[in-house]
Amino acid sequence: MIRLILIVLEALILYFLKTVDAFIWGPGLLTLLMGTGVFLTLRLRFLPWKNLSKSLHFALSPKARSTIKDGGISPFSALMTALASTIGTGNIVGVSTALVLGGPGALIWMEISALLGLATKYAECMLAAKYRRKNKLGEIIGGSMYPLQERFPFHFIGKILAILFAAFAVLASFGIGNMTQANSASEALYVTFGVSPAISGIVLMVLTFIILIGGIRSISKISSVLIPAMSILYLIGGTIVILGNFQNLPSGVVEIFRLAFSPKAAAAGVDGTILASMQRAAEWGIARGVFSNEAGMGSATFTAAAASSENPVEIGYLSMTGVFFDTTVICTITGLAIVASGVLGITDPNGNPVEGAALTIVAFETILGPFGGKLIAIGITLFAFSTIIGWAYNGEKALEYLLPKLSYRKIYRIIYTIAVLVGATIPLEAVWTFSDIMNGLMAGPNLLCLLALSGEIARDTFAEEAKEQKEKIVSVKSSSVFS
């Protein structure tokens, strides 16, 4: 009887969480996310788009790896640590899920979410860099909590929103940043290589603990090596799959655009039902795109604040390149590999649609054979581990805002590493849903902050733009005189 009661209770909790999750990630939040992106893009006169090329050049330049000072980390390390938080299983699992449930057109809406997310990511990280501060150890700390607390029009409300944002971030760090990632990694290693989830969990836990002891410096060093290496490996594999199926690519791209903007029910879903193409494509594409690059969530603000550059606008532009690398590059490669390989819509022996990591594996195996499945398993594991260590920093800084006493950081790190083992060894459907909720709730206070301070964001941005233009004119005149 007790077991039956527990089963029923678990089912009710899961049902409740899924209902709340569907409400939070419904049209309201997605409209707010995209609407904020549109508003900021227009308010900033498309400068995030215009300066993307220059920002990418800076991100990859020696200057971005400048000497660390004032308790911070180099701008490049800050970007890689932020990418460690965002480049995760969503780049593999999330993309395939969007394509299955929203149709091939969902890929276009993921790209649209990234395009509009440039301004959102720029704005949130610029503010984080502007209002950062130092703790008792001389370390730079920051996040969306500080501009909310200091500059939100209604101070009391701003303080409440800052506390809520920090609390949601701490909870999200254990969910979407930790246990769900560990679960994905252990499952991939078990299915592909037969490694016991317990062994995977123990190894991940030990590695996480070793890295967290060193704080942001250790996390950033690992991220600066791990993120570029694993991204290049994955991109090479994905590109080979796309080129190997090149004969299907032109028609696949046409189908992607056709279904992305078709106002009528024009595509049969994998379950046999007819999808309202544009609506479903937009819903799933935007939701998975935002879930992947986290533009508007505020998660990147923690690491952006730690960048050693003294120019908040520069940090904002650098940070927004993370959206480009995450969605425009990696997610696009995943999506095109799936579409070009022709595996979208296949079912398993039981008649169920193949989705998630399994679909991406099948796509890669069309050209790479068994090695394709192993590559995806390795990719999921590395992506998941990078997310675990990246989100550890986010959660720790959010907790530090709520509980400034530094001794709480040690407790957090211990609990966080234990959670890795728990996540790797138990089913986590409820945790996945709860994590999704916390991620969505982070966006509310953060987006309100961006909208309320949009005037300040625009003024600082235009002032820096005018300064750069003036310096260019002076430089040209100086060159003319000396020539």
Side-chain angles (χ1 to χ4, degrees):
M1 174 61 80
I2 295 178
R3 180 176 176 80
L4 179 61
I5 293 175
L6 291 175
I7 293 175
V8 173
L9 183 61
E10 181 181 352
L12 289 174
I13 291 174
L14 184 58
Y15 175 78
F16 172 76
L17 289 175
K18 286 187 174 182
T19 302
V20 173
D21 185 42
F23 173 77
I24 290 176
W25 282 98
L29 177 58
L30 297 180
T31 301
L32 181 60
L33 283 163
M34 292 298 97
T36 301
V38 171
F39 174 73
L40 289 174
T41 300
L42 296 175
R43 188 74 189 265
L44 295 173
R45 302 173 189 170
F46 299 95
L47 283 177
W49 295 6
K50 295 176 182 178
N51 290 326
L52 177 60
S53 176
K54 182 174 67 175
S55 301
L56 290 169
H57 182 267
F58 171 64
L60 302 175
S61 70
K63 182 183 176 182
R65 296 171 173 81
S66 58
T67 304
I68 300 169
K69 56 184 179 179
D70 298 329
I73 57 178
S74 72
F76 178 79
S77 295
L79 174 62
M80 290 302 105
T81 305
L83 281 172
S85 301
T86 57
I87 296 182
T89 55
N91 297 86
I92 297 176
V93 179
V95 175
S96 60
T97 299
L99 294 181
V100 169
L101 299 178
L107 186 60
I108 294 297
W109 288 97
M110 291 187 76
E111 305 296 349
I112 292 174
S113 76
L115 190 62
L116 297 176
L118 290 173
T120 310
K121 183 81 79 169
Y122 161 78
E124 63 188 15
C125 291
M126 190 274 280
L127 286 178
K130 183 177 181 179
Y131 290 100
R132 60 190 172 182
R133 56 187 66 182
K134 290 185 178 181
N135 62 17
K136 296 178 181 179
L137 297 178
E139 300 169 338
I140 295 177
I141 56 175
S144 293
M145 309 85 67
Y146 297 102
L148 274 169
Q149 174 183 301
E150 296 184 20
R151 294 293 297 164
F152 200 77
F154 304 98
H155 181 72
F156 177 71
I157 296 177
K159 180 68 174 178
I160 293 176
L161 290 175
I163 292 173
L164 288 174
F165 174 82
F168 295 146
V170 172
L171 293 173
S173 73
F174 283 100
I176 205 65
N178 184 323
M179 290 192 286
T180 55
Q181 302 296 329
N183 189 265
S184 295
S186 66
E187 182 179 1
L189 291 174
Y190 176 72
V191 172
T192 307
F193 300 104
V195 179
S196 166
I199 294 176
S200 298
I202 292 172
V203 173
L204 288 172
M205 179 180 68
V206 172
L207 291 175
T208 299
F209 183 72
I210 292 173
I211 293 172
L212 295 191
I213 290 176
I216 183 59
R217 296 288 177 85
S218 177
I219 293 172
S220 64
K221 286 180 181 178
I222 297 297
S223 299
S224 297
V225 175
L226 184 60
I227 295 298
M230 71 182 187
S231 297
I232 290 173
L233 176 65
Y234 183 77
L235 291 176
I236 291 174
T239 302
I240 292 173
V241 172
I242 294 171
L243 294 177
N245 291 297
F246 187 77
Q247 70 277 7
N248 301 324
L249 189 59
S251 60
V253 171
V254 170
E255 193 74 354
I256 287 172
F257 278 94
R258 185 178 73 86
L259 296 180
F261 303 107
S262 173
K264 299 180 180 180
V270 295
D271 57 356
T273 60
I274 301 298
L275 303 179
S277 302
M278 183 174 178
Q279 179 184 349
R280 289 293 294 272
E283 287 180 357
W284 281 101
I286 293 173
R288 293 303 94 183
V290 172
F291 180 84
S292 178
N293 60 54
E294 298 182 8
M297 302 297 167
S299 58
T301 61
F302 300 101
T303 49
S308 60
S309 172
E310 297 177 356
N311 187 336
V313 172
E314 183 179 72
I315 294 175
Y317 280 133
L318 174 76
S319 300
M320 78 176 188
T321 62
V323 177
F324 175 83
F325 288 125
D326 178 278
T327 305
T328 309
V329 177
I330 297 180
C331 287
T332 299
I333 288 293
T334 301
L336 290 179
I338 291 173
V339 172
S341 61
V343 300
L344 187 62
I346 65 172
T347 58
D348 61 21
N350 297 321
N352 299 316
V354 176
E355 56 183 302
L359 182 62
T360 310
I361 288 174
V362 174
F364 272 60
E365 286 181 340
T366 59
I367 299 299
L368 299 176
F371 175 75
K374 294 178 181 179
L375 178 62
I376 295 300
I378 294 172
I380 289 176
T381 303
L382 293 178
F383 285 163
F385 180 63
S386 71
T387 302
I388 290 171
I389 61 175
W391 260 100
Y393 180 76
N394 298 345
E396 184 176 300
K397 292 306 158 188
L399 180 67
E400 191 171 334
Y401 175 81
L402 298 171
L403 303 171
K405 193 174 180 180
L406 296 179
S407 59
Y408 288 110
R409 299 200 311 186
K410 297 179 181 178
I411 298 174
Y412 172 85
R413 291 174 183 178
I414 292 172
I415 297 176
Y416 192 87
T417 53
I418 294 174
V420 173
L421 178 60
V422 174
T425 54
I426 65 172
L428 289 175
E429 186 176 5
V431 177
W432 268 104
T433 309
F434 177 78
S435 303
D436 214 21
I437 292 172
M438 292 302 106
N439 229 21
L441 289 175
M442 284 178 64
N446 185 59
L447 294 174
L448 289 176
C449 179
L450 298 182
L451 292 172
L453 303 185
S454 62
E456 180 177 342
I457 294 167
R459 284 194 301 272
D460 289 0
T461 304
F462 297 148
E464 182 64 26
E465 190 74 11
K467 178 183 175 182
E468 290 185 4
Q469 292 299 326
K470 184 177 180 180
E471 289 176 351
K472 285 182 180 179
I473 294 174
V474 172
S475 177
V476 171
K477 287 183 177 180
S478 299
S479 299
S480 300
V481 170
F482 286 108
S483 62

